[in-house]
Amino acid sequence: MSEHGNISIFVPHIGCPHICSFCDQRAISGKTKAPSAQDVVNACLEAKEKKGKKNLELAFFGGSFTGLSRSYMTELLGAAQPFLGNLIEGIRLSTRPDFINEEILTILKMYHVTSIELGSQSMCDDVLFANLRGHSREDTIKASSLIKSFGFSLGLQMMTGLYMSDFEKDVKTAREIISILPDTVRIYPTITIKNTYLAELYNSKRYAPQDLEETVELCSKLVTMFDNAGIRVIKVGLHPSLELEEKIVAGPYHRAFGELVMSRIMRQRLSELLENVPAGDVQVHIKKGETSKLVGQKRSNILYFNKLGYNIKIVEQEGIPPLSPQLQTHEEEHF
C-alpha cells in the first residue's frame, strides 16, 4: 500500500474578518507571506521530485480559504489542476462554517476539491460567543450537511480548553461532532499566544488554561469516543515550530502531545485488560511499531504498571489493530 502524504500550502490570516480570542494566525501557520499561484506550482514540482510511493494530497491550511476573494481562491486552485491525477489525488482545504454556501461548493467542485475541513472549534454557543468566533453551532451543522450533500469528504476541527469551556463542554462538543458523522476530526488543545485576546484574559486572571495532565486525559477520552464511532482522528495537538514556541504565553503545549495522548489511551486500555489479572509478569502483544506508545515518555506507563505490581513484557506482532494491547492467553504459552 502506498504511503499518504500532503503538499501543504499555508494561507495566512487574509480570508477572515474575525480575530478569534486565540488567534495569531501568523504564529500558528509559521508563515507571513500570502502564497501565489507560482508558489503552488513550485511546491508541486518539488513534491514531484521527492514523491516516491506516496499518494499526495494538496492541502491549503492556515486560513479561511473560502473567505478569500473569488479571483485569488480560483487562482490558487487553478495552479494545481495540471498536477491532478499524475501527482496529487485530491485537494483539501480548511475554512469556517459560515463561509460555506452552494455557490462556493459549486466552485470547489469545478476545481476538483475533494476534502473540506471546518473549524467548528466548539458546539457550545456560549463558548463560541465568548471566544469571538463569529459563527454558531447551527452554522457548523448546516455547513456540514451541505458539504456532505455535495459529495465532499468532511473534516471537523475542535479545540479543547477554550475560554468559558470545560471538560464537560468539550465532551459535549465531541458528542455533537459524532452526531454529524464527519469523515475525519482534528483536536487542538487551546494554547495562549502573545498579542491575542486570550493572552489579555490570561494576564488579567480571567482565563485559566487547562494543564497538560488534564488535557492529555481529556483528549484521550475524545480520541476514544471518535474511534468507537468509526471517525478517524488525523491530528491531535498543534504542529510544533520554534516560531510558535517563542510566542506561547500559557497552555498545555508539548512537542509530542499526540504521542502523550496515544500513550494514555494505551495505558487506559491495558488497565481495563488487567482488572482481573493478578500482579506479576504479564506479556502484552501490540501492533508492530507501537512499543513507544505503550512504554510512554520516560517509561511513564511501564512505571505506572510497576507500581501496581505488574512487570510488563512487550511483544510486537503483525495483525493487531492500532492502540489495542492484548494479553497472552494460556493457550498461547509455548515456551
Side-chain angles (χ1 to χ4, degrees), residues 17 20 22 25 33-34 46 48 51 59 94 97 99 123 188 194 207 217-218 235 248 259 261 279 283 291 322 327:
C20 303
F22 49 83
Q25 192 62 45
K33 176 180 172 293
E46 182 179 349
K48 192 171 185 177
K51 181 181 177 184
S94 60
F99 285 2
M123 295 298 285
Y188 295 120
K194 293 177 184 177
Y207 168 65
E217 189 71 19
L218 169 61
K235 182 70 175 175
I248 292 174
E259 186 80 8
V261 171
Q283 187 172 119
T291 292
L327 298 183

Side-chain angles (χ1 to χ4, degrees), residues 84-303:
L84 283 164
N86 56 28
L87 174 68
I88 56 178
E89 57 182 19
I91 299 175
R92 174 183 296 269
L93 59 86
S94 60
T95 192
R96 294 169 52 92
D98 52 337
F99 285 2
I100 289 292
N101 56 41
E102 291 193 6
E103 177 221 354
I104 288 170
L105 294 178
T106 299
I107 293 172
L108 299 183
K109 269 290 183 187
M110 288 173 54
Y111 283 91
H112 305 100
V113 171
T114 48
S115 302
I116 300 174
E117 293 190 30
L118 297 179
S120 53
Q121 317 312 9
S122 176
M123 295 298 285
C124 300
D125 281 333
D126 59 332
V127 175
L128 293 170
F129 180 79
N131 288 276
L132 314 179
R133 281 294 293 166
H135 70 82
S136 67
R137 162 186 172 274
E138 189 62 27
D139 289 328
T140 295
I141 295 171
K142 288 180 178 178
S144 296
S145 177
L146 198 56
I147 288 168
K148 291 170 77 172
S149 74
F150 269 72
F152 294 101
S153 174
L154 172 67
L156 292 178
Q157 302 169 4
M158 69 170 288
M159 295 179 67
T160 62
L162 283 165
Y163 175 51
M164 297 297 289
S165 192
D166 53 31
F167 196 102
E168 288 73 25
K169 287 182 180 179
D170 290 341
V171 171
K172 177 180 182 291
T173 287
R175 287 198 183 103
E176 293 218 18
I177 286 176
I178 288 169
S179 72
I180 292 172
L181 293 177
D183 298 289
T184 61
V185 167
R186 296 179 194 258
I187 305 172
Y188 295 120
T190 299
I191 306 299
T192 305
I193 297 172
K194 293 177 184 177
N195 303 319
T196 62
Y197 177 52
L198 207 57
E200 292 179 26
L201 294 171
Y202 173 77
N203 291 329
S204 63
K205 301 188 185 308
R206 288 178 286 167
Y207 168 65
Q210 290 178 342
D211 62 30
L212 183 61
E213 172 62 24
E214 181 183 8
T215 308
V216 169
E217 189 71 19
L218 169 61
C219 288
S220 67
K221 178 179 178 67
L222 301 184
V223 170
T224 300
M225 289 172 62
F226 290 125
D227 185 52
N228 289 341
I231 297 169
R232 188 162 61 98
V233 179
I234 56 177
K235 182 70 175 175
V236 183
L238 291 171
H239 182 73
S241 74
L242 290 176
E243 184 173 357
L244 170 63
E245 290 169 2
E246 288 171 357
K247 296 192 176 186
I248 292 174
V249 175
Y253 176 79
H254 192 287
R255 276 181 161 262
F257 183 80
E259 186 80 8
L260 294 181
V261 171
M262 297 305 114
S263 292
R264 183 60 55 87
I265 292 172
M266 278 285 210
R267 179 196 293 185
Q268 292 167 345
R269 291 180 177 176
L270 183 53
S271 294
E272 292 171 3
L273 292 176
L274 293 173
E275 277 185 3
N276 299 312
V277 176
D281 293 343
V282 177
Q283 187 172 119
V284 182
H285 291 230
I286 59 171
K287 178 181 172 64
K288 189 174 182 179
E290 290 197 336
T291 292
S292 64
K293 292 183 176 69
L294 182 53
V295 170
Q297 284 213 337
K298 299 180 180 179
R299 294 177 56 82
S300 58
N301 284 349
I302 298 299
L303 295 173

Side-chain angles (χ1 to χ4, degrees), residues 10 12-14 26-27 29-35 243 247:
F10 287 97
H13 193 79
I14 55 177
R26 289 176 179 171
S29 69
K31 302 288 181 180
T32 57
K33 176 180 172 293
E243 184 173 357
K247 296 192 176 186

